[in-house]
């Protein structure tokens, strides 16, 4: 990789830019900045969820009246939501936000709305940098508290080639200050909650009560449905003076295994099995192929940790060996790899700390 140059806002002057506008402060400041740089700007609000069906109202209608609203309810349902529900039902911990970026914002939205030599812009905190041959790479946003490259790790270089993240080199506090200075109505709006609400919707997943069991096999309580529990999460069990935490799920037998104490050794693993790797570039990155030390996050907003990837087969199953033990890797969670600030891609964790397949 030759020296990288960050794609700055000046690249948009005179260019047609389709900006995803969510109704929050980030995308409205992005709109302001793009306009200021002379972009030919068009805003698109994606309606991904048919709230009207549930409550007889649609909050999307009032959020943005002055941007084009495009309906992606069907795409969202089939390409993100259905898979998320399947994952939950199989006891995995899905990440619908990653799927939404890949399938909807950088998928259906681009296909439907970003034509010709137009680019897509979003208010994500991440950066795109190009090498001497104009090949784009995904970099972390400079605000380490807001960096969203984790959520973008499943997009392709070809999608980054036609994208820009106007806020990637800014801190959130600067973004809010711009919004206030220009009296944008979104200036003091709270952060949006993404679609994590999916996990709190038991009506979409059949509930089957089952046992909560210690590693020694003692039944400590009942759960109301295995899908809503994730490895590492506190289990509401009253047994002794310690708090109990989920360490594994036995899907066929509908049991949740728990251990006492948030730092119980069984919650930690120095290696995880990972499949379904996706590389942002068109092949396995050189750092990974050569078995160099890289860093990884197994969840959003986690301190990255040093690791090495060992492949069992060509881009198939692999084991990621960490230098320090990781707390609570969970099947279905994305592991995202970085070489310095450069996001290399992601894979899907297959094992829980117990490492026993039947314990999910
Ligand atoms: N419903 C939507 N329609 C169009 N674009 C969207 C929508 N939701 C999110 N986006 C785009 O994706 C970006 C990141 O989405 P995310 O949900 O993380 O937003 P956010 O950090 O809360 O940003 P904002 O403050 O703009 O809501 C947004 O800044 C916006 O550009």
């Amino acid at each position: 990789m030759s020296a990288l140059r960050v794609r700055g806002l000046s690249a948009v002057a005179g260019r047609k830019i389709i900006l995803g506008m969510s109704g929050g402060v980030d995308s409205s400041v992005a709109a302001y900045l793009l306009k200021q740089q002379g972009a030919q700007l068009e805003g698109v609000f994606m309606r991904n969820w048919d709230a009207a069906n549930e409550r007889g109202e649609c909050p999307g209608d009032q959020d943005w009246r002055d941007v084009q609203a495009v309906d992606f309810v069907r795409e969202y349902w089939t390409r993100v939501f259905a898979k998320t529900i399947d994952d939950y039902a199989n006891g995995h911990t899905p990440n619908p936000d990653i799927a939404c970026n890949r399938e909807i914002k950088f998928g259906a939205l681009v296909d439907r709305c970003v034509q010709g030599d137009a680019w897509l812009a979003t208010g994500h905190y991440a950066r795109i940098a190009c090498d001497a041959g104009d090949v784009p790479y995904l970099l972390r946003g400079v605000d380490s508290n807001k960096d969203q490259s984790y959520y973008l790790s499943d997009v392709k270089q070809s999608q980054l080639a036609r994208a820009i993240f106007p806020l990637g080199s800014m801190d959130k506090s600067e973004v809010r200050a711009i919004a206030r200075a220009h009296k944008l109505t979104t200036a003091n709006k709270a952060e949006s909650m993404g679609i994590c609400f999916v996990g709190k919707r038991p009506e979409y997943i059949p509930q089957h009560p089952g046992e909560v069991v210690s590693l020694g096999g003692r039944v400590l309580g009942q759960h109301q449905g295995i899908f809503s529990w994730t490895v590492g999460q506190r289990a509401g069990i009253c047994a002794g003076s310690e708090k109990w935490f989920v360490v594994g799920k036995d899907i066929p037998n509908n049991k949740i295994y728990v251990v006492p104490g948030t730092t119980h050794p069984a919650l930690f693993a120095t290696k995880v099995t990972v499949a379904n790797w996706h590389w942002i570039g068109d092949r396995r990155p050189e750092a990974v192929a050569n078995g160099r030390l890289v860093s990884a996050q197994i969840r959003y907003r986690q301190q990255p940790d040093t690791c090495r990837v060992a492949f069992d087969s060509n881009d198939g199953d692999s084991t990621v060996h960490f230098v320090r033990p990781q707390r609570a890797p969970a099947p279905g969670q994305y592991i995202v790899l970085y070489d310095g600030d450069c996001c290399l891609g992601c894979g899907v964790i297959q094992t829980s700390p117990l490492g026993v397949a039947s314990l999910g």
Side-chain angles (χ1 to χ4, degrees):
M1 193 193 309
S2 58
L4 296 180
R5 206 162 29 86
V6 173
R7 179 175 283 170
L9 270 169
S10 56
V12 305
R15 185 179 290 276
K16 180 153 179 192
I17 302 286
I18 310 297
L19 170 65
M21 299 196 74
S22 57
V25 64
D26 293 329
S27 44
S28 49
V29 169
Y32 170 79
L33 295 171
L34 290 164
K35 201 81 194 148
Q36 198 188 35
Q37 291 293 322
Q40 294 172 44
L41 189 60
E42 248 178 58
V44 175
F45 175 80
M46 303 184 299
R47 204 164 69 93
N48 294 336
W49 190 256
D50 202 348
N53 282 353
E54 291 186 318
R55 278 181 272 120
E57 60 185 52
C58 179
D61 290 346
Q62 87 225 4
D63 259 347
W64 287 95
R65 292 181 198 286
D66 53 349
V67 294
Q68 189 194 356
V70 185
D71 209 318
F72 289 102
V73 173
R74 197 155 58 101
E75 287 89 343
Y76 188 84
W77 184 279
T78 54
R79 290 161 70 168
V80 179
F81 189 69
K83 165 85 169 65
T84 301
I85 294 300
D86 276 357
D87 284 348
Y88 273 121
N90 290 327
H92 291 179
T93 305
N95 193 319
D97 294 310
I98 292 184
C100 180
N101 279 325
R102 181 192 62 225
E103 296 292 332
I104 306 298
K105 291 174 193 155
F106 286 86
L109 173 64
V110 168
D111 292 346
R112 193 122 43 107
C113 303
V114 187
Q115 264 103 43
D117 59 1
W119 283 359
L120 173 71
T122 65
H124 283 109
Y125 288 80
R127 292 171 297 160
I128 295 169
C130 298
D131 67 11
D134 231 14
V135 176
Y137 294 85
L138 178 67
L139 304 188
R140 288 185 187 277
V142 298
D143 184 338
S144 53
N145 278 323
K146 281 296 299 180
D147 168 39
Q148 289 176 307
S149 55
Y150 182 91
Y151 290 132
L152 292 162
S153 58
D154 212 1
V155 304
K156 294 295 296 176
Q157 224 154 25
S158 55
Q159 295 166 308
L160 295 176
R162 300 176 55 213
I164 185 151
F165 304 128
L167 310 185
S169 298
M170 303 174 83
D171 282 341
K172 179 83 187 199
S173 56
E174 287 176 72
V175 171
R176 285 230 184 256
I178 292 174
R180 277 195 290 270
H182 297 281
K183 297 194 169 42
L184 304 186
T185 52
T186 53
N188 297 312
K189 201 163 172 178
E191 301 291 298
S192 68
M193 64 169 188
I195 62 158
C196 318
F197 70 90
V198 168
K200 302 187 177 67
R201 291 179 166 241
E203 69 267 32
Y204 290 104
I205 307 164
Q207 300 247 54
H208 299 295
E211 291 174 343
V212 179
V213 186
S214 73
L215 281 186
R218 192 155 60 101
V219 178
L220 300 174
Q222 289 278 310
H223 64 78
Q224 293 311 309
I226 206 162
F227 74 87
S228 49
W229 295 95
T230 292
V231 173
Q233 187 182 359
R234 188 172 158 200
I237 292 293
C238 298
S241 55
E242 290 264 41
K243 296 181 174 113
W244 293 76
F245 293 83
V246 177
V247 70
K249 303 200 279 187
D250 178 350
I251 309 299
N253 295 308
N254 196 29
K255 284 183 187 170
I256 291 174
Y257 283 86
V258 292
V259 287
T262 185
T263 56
H264 190 286
L267 286 166
F268 289 82
T270 48
K271 57 182 185 181
V272 288
T273 305
V274 178
N276 302 332
W277 284 105
H278 159 88
W279 306 118
I280 290 177
D282 53 13
R283 66 188 114 96
R284 193 182 288 178
E286 174 263 317
V288 176
N290 294 343
R292 257 185 28 215
L293 288 176
V294 288
S295 63
Q297 273 175 243
I298 59 170
R299 51 179 69 85
Y300 179 57
R301 279 214 173 121
Q302 180 207 28
Q303 271 299 100
D305 254 325
T306 308
C307 65
R308 198 190 299 281
V309 188
F311 285 96
D312 307 333
S313 61
N314 200 21
D315 261 13
D317 289 354
S318 61
T319 307
V320 178
H321 298 266
F322 282 92
V323 169
R324 297 190 312 164
Q326 300 296 299
R327 187 179 181 280
Q333 264 171 1
Y334 279 81
I335 180 170
V336 176
L337 295 188
Y338 293 87
D339 188 7
D341 262 2
C342 187
C343 179
L344 303 174
C346 58
V348 181
I349 295 176
Q350 305 295 305
T351 44
S352 67
L354 293 175
V356 181
S358 68
L359 293 182

